[in-house]
Amino acid sequence: MSQSLRLGVAGLGTVGASVVRMVARRAEAIAAATGREVRVTAVSSRDKTRDRGLDLSGVTWFDDPVALASSGEVDCVVELIGGSEGPAKATVEAAIAAGKHVVTANKALLAHHGAALSKAAEAKGVTLAYEASVAGGIPVIKALREGLTGNAVSRVYGIMNGTCNYILTRMEREGLTFEACLKDAQALGYAEADPTFDVEGFDTAHKLAILVSLAFGVEIDAEGVSVEGISAIQPLDLTMAEELGYRIKLLGVAQVAEGGIEQRVHPTMVPKSSAIAQVMGVTNAVTIDADAVGELTLIGPGAGGEATASAVVADIADIAAGVARPTFGRPAASLAPSERVAMQRHEGGYYIRLTVHDRPGVAAGVATRMAERDISIESILQRRSESAATKDPHGRSGQPVPLVLITYAATEGTIRAALDAIAADGLLAEAPQLIRIERE
């Protein structure tokens, strides 16, 4: 058997501790599969006194993860610190500079510095592996980089944040507000004390940027992703989606478009009959549309210590077996520049909820502004409360009521222009709600 692969684990949180345990528990199986023993020889974390339930006897402790990365005691550095800058970036850079392989779960680091790090890894002849950075235990990186090499991918989309999916699931099933579901998610440990990164879509955007590079052979462009979160979604939107045959999910979507790759993260209405609509709770799912296989959907745990550790250990096993592939599926120098497609050019169906004054001519005024921009309306639904309907014989109260429009395919730019005109006419009592429809 070849000389053992010595691991240095930087970061001993939930995932890091799970990786150490999994490597020990699966040591014989990993050795049998790869022909090489794999063992943890060094670790680093902020708190040495914390009881993690790990046997670290015979393992060297480093207070400084950069020192661990530069140490002669490790061949492969497993970075589980997190964050796009600071110690995580310094640790990965030091490991590559020292000629060591790197395994990371850090989507923010890759989204912002993946191009530079992949070039540095290539120059040093080492592997930069990151299966755990997107969708936790789902092997979507391997699927795109290895399993679908013979396919031309036209679209990648999915649920990549369990926190948002949990909140939307609870809102739909129980009719709760976003705020109430977020509070529960925080109590259960699904959401951070500051949930902005998750609920406003930035976490999903980082993951999508990574998938875009793999799927379409372009440089990572995290800044080119249009991002909207779920904090403005109201229970009424989920009720209306149900009536219309849809379910609302926060999706990351990337697809080939005229002039480049469209990259967007936003709440989306998906048909209830679709595979991705069945994914509830904290589960993640990624769908890949490709010419040879058609539609491929991968579903599984998107976070958690064991699930994420599973992806980390899979990368470690590849390195132990000598499996080496370019970081983003092809040499970094051959990645094409990412051509941004403005969100204004996106074309598709839209759910529009307008809160309008309940008075004569409002619906006609809305329809006129839509028609002026050649926006075709598939359906219009209006909701009045029973108390409002008793105010006058015509059922009008003059109070704000929701008016829901479903459009046929239109561009984002024309939809926005029509909504601006409707607002200028004084027909709206509050800002409109706009949700894109992603049909199968």
Side-chain angles (χ1 to χ4, degrees):
M1 185 174 288
S2 302
Q3 184 179 7
S4 63
L5 180 70
R6 301 170 301 166
L7 304 177
V9 179
L12 286 179
T14 301
V15 175
S18 293
V19 167
V20 173
R21 281 191 286 267
M22 192 174 290
V23 167
R25 184 173 75 239
R26 298 288 295 166
E28 289 187 11
I30 294 170
T34 66
R36 190 175 183 185
E37 179 190 24
V38 174
R39 58 193 179 91
V40 177
T41 57
V43 296
S44 177
S45 191
R46 288 179 295 182
D47 184 0
K48 189 174 183 178
T49 63
R50 179 182 165 194
D51 182 9
R52 299 172 175 85
L54 302 175
D55 179 8
L56 297 178
S57 58
V59 176
T60 304
W61 183 280
F62 287 85
D63 292 323
D64 180 6
V66 176
L68 176 148
S70 305
S71 167
E73 297 187 38
V74 301
D75 308 304
C76 175
V77 174
V78 181
E79 184 275 306
L80 301 170
I81 300 167
S84 62
E85 306 295 336
K89 180 171 180 280
T91 298
V92 171
E93 289 175 336
I96 293 172
K100 303 180 192 302
H101 302 293
V102 173
V103 176
T104 181
N106 193 334
K107 65 270 183 180
L109 178 68
L110 290 164
H112 290 288
H113 305 292
L117 292 174
S118 64
K119 290 174 183 176
E122 280 185 24
K124 280 289 185 176
V126 297
T127 295
L128 173 60
Y130 53 96
E131 181 66 64
S133 67
V134 179
I138 303 174
V140 64
I141 303 298
K142 286 183 179 293
L144 282 169
R145 188 173 56 195
E146 301 166 29
L148 297 175
T149 303
N151 287 254
V153 176
S154 58
R155 180 172 66 156
V156 178
Y157 65 99
I159 299 166
M160 303 178 213
N161 185 275
T163 300
C164 290
N165 207 44
Y166 170 83
I167 290 171
L168 291 171
T169 298
R170 290 284 308 279
M171 289 180 69
E172 176 188 341
R173 287 178 171 173
E174 301 174 46
L176 300 174
T177 65
F178 167 81
E179 292 77 13
C181 293
L182 173 60
K183 186 176 180 180
D184 284 350
Q186 290 171 321
L188 291 167
Y190 296 150
E192 301 290 341
D194 179 358
T196 304
F197 192 66
D198 289 319
V199 302
E200 297 304 339
F202 301 112
D203 173 75
T204 299
H206 286 161
K207 295 169 182 175
L208 182 67
I210 293 168
L211 295 185
V212 166
S213 184
L214 284 164
F216 303 111
V218 298
E219 296 173 349
I220 285 185
D221 181 21
E223 302 304 318
V225 183
S226 174
V227 185
E228 292 179 20
I230 65 169
S231 58
I233 299 296
Q234 296 183 14
L236 176 60
D237 298 317
L238 292 147
T239 299
M240 297 305 300
E242 169 74 23
E243 289 188 25
L244 293 162
Y246 293 100
R247 185 163 276 148
I248 298 176
K249 299 293 184 183
L250 181 78
L251 294 189
V253 184
Q255 63 189 53
V256 176
E258 184 178 351
I261 307 297
E262 198 177 90
Q263 302 181 59
R264 47 194 169 89
V265 172
H266 49 68
T268 311
M269 284 197 173
V270 295
K272 290 184 70 175
S273 60
S274 64
I276 212 154
Q278 315 311 314
V279 179
M280 309 299 275
V282 295
T283 304
N284 280 199
V286 178
T287 295
I288 302 163
D289 290 342
D291 60 348
V293 299
E295 182 180 278
L296 176 67
T297 300
L298 305 173
I299 301 172
E306 286 288 292
T308 306
S310 170
V312 171
V313 172
D315 279 339
I316 292 169
D318 277 351
I319 291 169
V323 176
R325 295 181 181 274
T327 305
F328 296 107
R330 62 191 71 191
S334 70
L335 293 171
S338 180
E339 299 294 335
R340 296 182 181 181
V341 176
M343 191 65 199
Q344 295 291 91
R345 290 169 52 192
H346 168 68
E347 186 170 359
Y350 287 81
Y351 161 96
I352 303 168
R353 176 171 56 78
L354 304 175
T355 302
V356 300
H357 299 290
D358 191 14
R359 62 190 185 217
V362 170
V366 168
T368 296
R369 291 305 191 189
M370 292 288 179
E372 287 173 351
R373 289 157 180 82
D374 295 323
I375 299 169
S376 297
I377 306 299
E378 182 177 338
S379 60
I380 300 179
L381 298 90
Q382 188 163 357
R383 288 288 183 271
R384 291 192 182 95
S385 67
E386 291 184 8
S387 59
T390 62
K391 295 296 182 182
D392 79 9
H394 303 289
R396 300 190 185 98
S397 65
Q399 299 300 309
V401 294
L403 180 69
V404 172
L405 314 176
I406 301 296
T407 77
Y408 287 104
T411 64
E412 181 100 0
T414 57
I415 293 286
R416 295 286 185 186
L419 293 179
D420 287 345
I422 291 167
D425 289 340
L427 303 180
L428 302 183
E430 60 182 54
Q433 174 71 288
L434 183 70
I435 302 177
R436 291 100 185 157
I437 298 172
E438 197 78 14
R439 294 189 168 96
E440 293 179 285

